Amino acid sequence: KIEVRIPLNDIDAPESPDFSPDGKLIVFSGMQRADADIFTIDLETKELKNLTHDPLAHYSPTWSPDGRSIVYLTRVSGNEKLYRMNADGSDQQQITFGTHDEGGAQFWDADTIVFASTAVNPAEPIDPDVSRNGQIYNLWTLNFKTNELKQYTDALTGNLSPVVLRDGSSVRLAFVTYL
Protein backbone atom coordinates (compact mmCIF):
# COMPACT_ATOMS: atom_id res chain seq x y z
CA LYS A 1 0.00 0.00 0.00
CA ILE A 2 1.40 3.39 -0.98
CA GLU A 3 0.68 5.91 1.76
CA VAL A 4 2.25 8.99 0.15
CA ARG A 5 3.78 9.51 -3.25
CA ILE A 6 6.01 12.56 -3.70
CA PRO A 7 6.93 13.38 -7.30
CA LEU A 8 10.61 14.25 -7.70
CA ASN A 9 10.33 15.83 -11.14
CA ASP A 10 13.70 17.62 -10.96
CA ILE A 11 15.65 14.64 -9.55
CA ASP A 12 16.96 11.73 -11.63
CA ALA A 13 17.85 8.35 -10.15
CA PRO A 14 16.85 8.99 -6.51
CA GLU A 15 18.29 6.30 -4.24
CA SER A 16 19.44 5.39 -0.72
CA PRO A 17 16.55 6.94 1.24
CA ASP A 18 16.82 7.16 5.03
CA PHE A 19 14.14 8.49 7.40
CA SER A 20 15.22 11.06 9.98
CA PRO A 21 14.91 9.77 13.56
CA ASP A 22 11.82 11.96 14.11
CA GLY A 23 10.23 10.66 10.87
CA LYS A 24 9.73 14.18 9.44
CA LEU A 25 12.42 14.17 6.73
CA ILE A 26 13.90 11.73 4.27
CA VAL A 27 17.51 12.14 3.16
CA PHE A 28 18.48 10.56 -0.18
CA SER A 29 20.90 10.91 -3.07
CA GLY A 30 19.95 11.81 -6.62
CA MET A 31 21.04 13.55 -9.78
CA GLN A 32 20.11 17.13 -10.54
CA ARG A 33 21.46 18.77 -13.70
CA ALA A 34 24.08 15.98 -14.00
CA ASP A 35 25.36 16.45 -10.41
CA ALA A 36 24.96 13.69 -7.81
CA ASP A 37 23.90 15.41 -4.58
CA ILE A 38 22.33 14.71 -1.19
CA PHE A 39 18.78 15.99 -0.70
CA THR A 40 16.18 16.10 2.04
CA ILE A 41 12.45 16.18 1.57
CA ASP A 42 10.06 17.34 4.27
CA LEU A 43 7.24 14.81 4.40
CA GLU A 44 4.70 17.39 5.60
CA THR A 45 5.48 20.37 3.35
CA LYS A 46 7.04 18.35 0.46
CA GLU A 47 9.89 20.91 0.42
CA LEU A 48 12.97 19.58 -1.34
CA LYS A 49 16.39 20.85 -0.23
CA ASN A 50 19.77 20.19 -1.89
CA LEU A 51 22.35 19.84 0.90
CA THR A 52 25.55 19.35 -1.13
CA HIS A 53 25.01 21.41 -4.29
CA ASP A 54 28.49 21.15 -5.90
CA PRO A 55 30.19 19.20 -8.74
CA LEU A 56 31.45 16.31 -6.55
CA ALA A 57 29.43 13.06 -6.56
CA HIS A 58 27.63 12.50 -3.23
CA TYR A 59 25.52 9.49 -2.26
CA SER A 60 24.57 6.86 0.32
CA PRO A 61 23.44 9.21 3.13
CA THR A 62 22.47 8.06 6.62
CA TRP A 63 21.13 10.03 9.60
CA SER A 64 22.83 10.12 12.96
CA PRO A 65 20.62 8.74 15.76
CA ASP A 66 20.01 12.27 17.12
CA GLY A 67 19.08 13.63 13.67
CA ARG A 68 21.64 16.45 13.86
CA SER A 69 24.09 15.14 11.27
CA ILE A 70 24.32 13.02 8.13
CA VAL A 71 27.18 10.77 7.03
CA TYR A 72 27.54 10.12 3.29
CA LEU A 73 29.98 9.11 0.54
CA THR A 74 31.74 11.52 -1.81
CA ARG A 75 33.93 10.64 -4.77
CA VAL A 76 37.20 12.57 -4.27
CA SER A 77 40.15 12.23 -6.69
CA GLY A 78 38.85 8.86 -7.88
CA ASN A 79 38.16 7.37 -4.43
CA GLU A 80 35.03 7.01 -2.33
CA LYS A 81 35.44 8.86 0.99
CA LEU A 82 33.14 9.34 3.97
CA TYR A 83 31.96 12.83 4.89
CA ARG A 84 29.84 14.20 7.71
CA MET A 85 27.68 17.35 7.68
CA ASN A 86 25.07 19.01 9.82
CA ALA A 87 21.47 18.09 8.96
CA ASP A 88 21.02 21.46 7.23
CA GLY A 89 24.00 20.79 4.89
CA SER A 90 26.45 23.07 6.70
CA ASP A 91 29.91 22.16 8.01
CA GLN A 92 30.76 19.41 5.50
CA GLN A 93 33.86 17.56 6.73
CA GLN A 94 35.79 14.67 5.22
CA ILE A 95 36.22 11.89 7.81
CA THR A 96 38.20 9.24 5.86
CA PHE A 97 41.26 9.85 3.73
CA GLY A 98 43.65 8.01 1.43
CA THR A 99 43.79 6.23 -1.92
CA HIS A 100 41.44 3.39 -0.96
CA ASP A 101 37.64 3.26 -1.16
CA GLU A 102 34.98 3.29 1.54
CA GLY A 103 31.41 2.06 1.30
CA GLY A 104 28.26 3.46 2.83
CA ALA A 105 28.22 3.84 6.61
CA GLN A 106 25.61 3.11 9.26
CA PHE A 107 25.53 4.37 12.83
CA TRP A 108 26.42 1.65 15.35
CA ASP A 109 25.49 4.04 18.17
CA ALA A 110 25.34 7.81 18.66
CA ASP A 111 29.14 8.19 18.42
CA THR A 112 30.24 5.32 16.17
CA ILE A 113 29.78 4.39 12.51
CA VAL A 114 30.45 1.05 10.86
CA PHE A 115 31.55 1.08 7.21
CA ALA A 116 33.31 -0.98 4.56
CA SER A 117 36.81 -0.02 3.40
CA THR A 118 39.38 -1.48 1.01
CA ALA A 119 42.19 -0.13 3.19
CA VAL A 120 44.42 -2.12 5.46
CA ASN A 121 43.97 0.84 7.81
CA PRO A 122 41.65 3.73 6.74
CA ALA A 123 43.82 6.15 8.75
CA GLU A 124 46.93 5.43 6.66
CA PRO A 125 47.57 6.04 2.94
CA ILE A 126 47.99 3.02 0.70
CA ASP A 127 50.05 2.87 -2.49
CA PRO A 128 47.72 3.57 -5.46
CA ASP A 129 48.88 0.42 -7.31
CA VAL A 130 48.10 -1.72 -4.28
CA SER A 131 44.67 -0.12 -3.84
CA ARG A 132 43.81 -0.65 -7.53
CA ASN A 133 44.63 -4.34 -7.26
CA GLY A 134 43.36 -5.03 -3.75
CA GLN A 135 39.70 -4.07 -3.79
CA ILE A 136 38.80 -6.29 -0.83
CA TYR A 137 36.34 -4.60 1.50
CA ASN A 138 36.33 -5.27 5.23
CA LEU A 139 34.27 -3.65 7.94
CA TRP A 140 35.61 -0.98 10.25
CA THR A 141 34.19 1.19 13.01
CA LEU A 142 35.08 4.83 13.65
CA ASN A 143 34.28 6.52 16.96
CA PHE A 144 33.74 10.26 16.51
CA LYS A 145 34.56 11.15 20.12
CA THR A 146 37.89 9.31 20.29
CA ASN A 147 38.71 9.07 16.52
CA GLU A 148 39.49 5.41 17.20
CA LEU A 149 39.34 3.10 14.18
CA LYS A 150 38.76 -0.61 14.75
CA GLN A 151 38.78 -3.35 12.18
CA TYR A 152 35.62 -5.42 12.58
CA THR A 153 36.20 -8.13 9.93
CA ASP A 154 39.30 -9.54 8.23
CA ALA A 155 38.23 -11.54 5.19
CA LEU A 156 40.17 -12.27 2.02
CA THR A 157 36.98 -12.25 -0.05
CA GLY A 158 35.25 -9.06 1.07
CA ASN A 159 32.57 -7.81 3.46
CA LEU A 160 30.40 -4.79 2.73
CA SER A 161 26.97 -3.13 3.06
CA PRO A 162 26.70 -3.20 6.86
CA VAL A 163 23.25 -2.86 8.44
CA VAL A 164 22.87 -2.32 12.18
CA LEU A 165 20.02 -4.32 13.74
CA ARG A 166 18.66 -3.16 17.08
CA ASP A 167 16.48 -5.36 19.28
CA GLY A 168 15.94 -3.73 22.65
CA SER A 169 19.34 -3.36 24.27
CA SER A 170 21.07 -5.79 21.89
CA VAL A 171 22.83 -4.61 18.73
CA ARG A 172 23.77 -6.94 15.89
CA LEU A 173 25.38 -6.37 12.52
CA ALA A 174 24.31 -7.86 9.19
CA PHE A 175 26.46 -7.50 6.09
CA VAL A 176 27.14 -8.97 2.68
CA THR A 177 30.12 -11.30 2.41
CA TYR A 178 31.70 -12.95 -0.62
CA LEU A 179 32.87 -16.53 -0.32
Side-chain angles (χ1 to χ4, degrees), residues 25-165:
L25 298 170
I26 295 176
V27 66
F28 66 96
S29 58
M31 301 282 291
Q32 191 172 48
R33 292 182 282 289
D35 289 330
D37 285 316
I38 304 293
F39 299 86
T40 56
I41 189 150
D42 185 304
L43 293 174
E44 185 178 316
T45 67
K46 311 301 186 264
E47 179 187 2
L48 182 69
K49 184 176 181 185
N50 186 332
L51 300 180
T52 58
H53 194 55
D54 64 44
L56 295 175
H58 310 285
Y59 45 94
S60 195
T62 189
W63 288 98
S64 64
D66 64 8
R68 291 193 278 192
S69 65
I70 297 167
V71 171
Y72 58 100
L73 285 171
T74 298
R75 188 154 187 82
V76 179
S77 299
N79 295 104
E80 313 301 330
K81 298 288 118 195
L82 287 169
Y83 276 67
R84 186 178 191 186
M85 67 179 156
N86 292 332
D88 65 1
S90 65
D91 197 25
Q92 298 176 18
Q93 296 181 359
Q94 187 172 348
I95 58 176
T96 60
F97 301 86
T99 55
H100 49 275
D101 290 313
E102 268 76 59
Q106 292 288 307
F107 276 84
W108 182 269
D109 59 33
D111 301 315
T112 306
I113 57 170
V114 59
F115 62 97
S117 178
T118 61
V120 175
N121 179 343
E124 297 175 8
I126 187 170
D127 181 90
D129 288 330
V130 172
S131 69
R132 266 192 292 281
N133 296 316
Q135 293 293 314
I136 299 171
Y137 283 91
N138 273 291
L139 300 182
W140 290 77
T141 58
L142 171 63
N143 183 289
F144 290 125
K145 283 188 174 179
T146 65
N147 289 324
E148 182 181 22
L149 275 165
K150 287 185 183 176
Q151 189 170 355
Y152 197 82
T153 66
D154 189 13
L156 296 176
T157 54
N159 296 311
L160 59 149
S161 301
V163 176
V164 177
L165 307 167

